[in-house]
Amino acid sequence: MAGSSGRRDVRAHVTAGVPWRRAASRAVWFLCLWLVLAGASPNDIPAAIIAIAAATWTSLHLLEPGTARPSPRAIFRLTLLFLYHSVVAGADVARRALDPRLPLRPGFIAYPTGLPRGPRRNVFTTLTSLLPGSVPAGEDTTQILYHCLDVEQPVVEDLAAEEIALVRALYND
């Protein structure tokens, strides 16, 4: 009896705090990914079950479910803002590359972020690294250092708009 009670305690400890809806949601996403990558062959069902279970378990332990609720409307706005900044900045970079008379004023700017170090800041720096004309180059506890092609452009204002849009879209706590 003591052995089975101990097993229940371990099982309860491992599953404590795991929101089953979130685990099921992740498993469904991993199933969709499996179907896209491997197709729907009946011979693959055992491997799919093992892979989906392992991926779900791993994702729950590496990226614990949070309380944030992504907003589809805000994600759409973030996408539009990102596309707008990408096109405008890309055209500016291309124009500067093709016309040597246009000045380049490269340098570094420090962007004061409100995001704490960790996954949220990492998502932000990843998003902003995709924008032409500037790239994250370092950080400290309150700022992210960006290298820019032209420090006289409104880089800080653009980054602030991206940060606000990202927080609204993904971290609407």
Side-chain angles (χ1 to χ4, degrees):
M1 266 326 221
S4 67
S5 171
R7 273 191 223 114
R8 271 189 248 127
D9 291 342
V10 169
R11 209 174 317 138
H13 174 72
V14 169
T15 60
V18 176
W20 289 106
R21 280 189 217 159
R22 298 233 170 119
S25 173
R26 290 187 188 191
V28 167
W29 283 107
F30 287 124
L31 171 63
C32 292
L33 180 62
W34 178 274
L35 292 172
V36 166
L37 295 176
S41 172
N43 295 336
D44 292 339
I45 290 174
I49 291 170
I50 292 169
I52 291 166
T56 302
W57 182 86
T58 302
S59 77
L60 288 169
H61 283 78
L62 294 178
L63 185 60
E64 295 178 6
T67 59
R69 300 223 183 266
S71 165
R73 178 181 287 165
I75 290 172
F76 180 71
R77 284 191 211 134
L78 173 64
T79 303
L80 290 178
L81 181 66
F82 177 79
L83 290 173
Y84 170 77
H85 282 154
S86 294
V87 169
V88 169
D92 182 57
V93 169
R95 196 182 82 219
R96 290 172 190 275
L98 296 174
D99 189 351
R101 295 173 302 194
L102 288 174
L104 286 178
R105 292 174 285 279
F108 292 91
I109 58 122
Y111 174 70
T113 182
L115 298 171
R117 282 186 161 173
R120 292 179 181 208
R121 190 182 290 189
N122 293 344
V123 168
F124 177 69
T125 56
T126 301
L127 176 72
T128 58
S129 73
L130 299 172
L131 295 172
S134 62
V135 65
E139 66 176 311
D140 64 21
T141 55
T142 61
Q143 299 182 88
I144 303 170
L145 186 66
Y146 283 86
H147 181 269
C148 307
L149 287 179
D150 189 348
V151 293
E152 293 182 15
Q153 295 295 312
V155 177
V156 171
E157 292 82 3
D158 290 346
L159 291 171
E162 291 287 338
E163 182 176 4
I164 290 167
L166 177 69
V167 169
R168 285 183 182 153
L170 300 180
Y171 307 118
N172 195 10
D173 297 316

